[in-house]
Amino acid sequence: MTADEDSERGAAEQRLLDALDGLLADGETFTALDVRRITSRAGLARTSFYNHFPDKTTALLALLGPATSEIFGAAAGWARDPHHDLAGLRTTTLEVIGAYRANAHLLRALGEATTYDPVASRFWRSRMEDLVDVFRRRIEEAGGDSPLTAAIWLAWGTERAISEHVALGGDGIADEEFADGVARSVWGAMTTR
């Protein structure tokens, strides 16, 4: 493949990803969205989609890679930092909320896909299991009780709380206030012996 062909292939793939991202941002549901709509918005032939992705879930996961890296990277980075403190956790939680807001349409689509697509489910579960493991180690280092159970509760419970907070538009609670409450809860669970 020549450099020009490679560049054209990359440009077409990006157009498809941008089209999927745009349709989801416009409120389309992932389940109802078909490949024809994606390629139409991208201005490409339907067959072009399958030259780049085996299915729409694979395209969604390509979009979600950077978003989930930002979300999980921030949380794991805080937990791994030997100088972590409550203020840092508060800041990290606010960053995670911001990343959820910026990628809400993609995370909503992933939530749909995980109910019926094992590839999407494994993708999300793998990210969450990695976070559980980081939290478990942090709790063990602090001498906490039942580190695995506590880590599962903290990772999945915090993820659900932030997801619902973003989905409900804050439900009357400012992001800063919500981040402070979540941070205090997580901090208490991770530091109590």
Side-chain angles (χ1 to χ4, degrees):
M1 183 177 291
T2 68
D4 286 342
E5 290 172 326
D6 193 37
S7 178
E8 283 180 35
R9 180 171 173 73
E13 185 173 299
Q14 191 58 54
R15 285 171 56 189
L16 291 164
L17 291 174
D18 290 345
L20 175 58
D21 186 56
L23 288 163
L24 293 171
D26 289 346
E28 295 283 340
T29 63
F30 185 71
T31 305
L33 187 58
D34 62 18
V35 170
R36 191 174 317 271
R37 293 276 321 278
I38 298 167
T39 56
S40 175
R41 182 155 178 162
L44 297 168
R46 188 171 188 268
T47 55
S48 179
F49 182 90
Y50 295 106
N51 289 333
H52 299 279
F53 305 104
D55 54 41
K56 66 182 186 175
T57 298
T58 305
L60 175 63
L61 298 184
L63 283 171
L64 277 161
T68 57
S69 291
E70 182 181 359
I71 291 167
F72 291 101
W78 176 85
R80 287 186 182 116
D81 182 351
H83 304 292
H84 52 257
D85 59 10
L86 179 57
L89 180 55
R90 192 177 297 116
T91 299
T92 298
T93 304
L94 197 53
E95 288 172 17
V96 170
I97 292 169
Y100 261 80
R101 282 205 188 287
N103 298 287
H105 60 294
L106 299 176
L107 294 166
R108 183 185 68 243
L110 179 63
E112 283 180 57
T114 60
T115 63
Y116 61 84
D117 189 312
V119 172
S121 182
R122 278 192 304 272
F123 173 86
W124 190 249
R125 183 160 293 282
S126 171
R127 300 303 179 278
M128 290 300 296
E129 287 172 354
D130 289 347
L131 185 61
V132 166
D133 190 54
V134 170
F135 281 3
R136 177 192 53 76
R137 281 185 263 133
R138 167 64 184 91
I139 294 166
E140 284 175 350
E141 289 168 7
D145 294 328
S146 305
L148 180 58
T149 301
I152 291 168
W153 176 77
L154 284 172
W156 285 97
T158 300
E159 185 279 330
R160 282 289 70 207
I162 291 173
S163 180
E164 288 300 308
H165 171 74
V166 170
L168 297 173
D171 204 24
I173 303 171
D175 286 353
E176 293 78 8
E177 180 183 350
F178 189 80
D180 182 63
V182 169
R184 288 178 185 280
S185 297
V186 171
W187 180 258
M190 285 190 154
T191 59
T192 302
R193 289 183 183 235

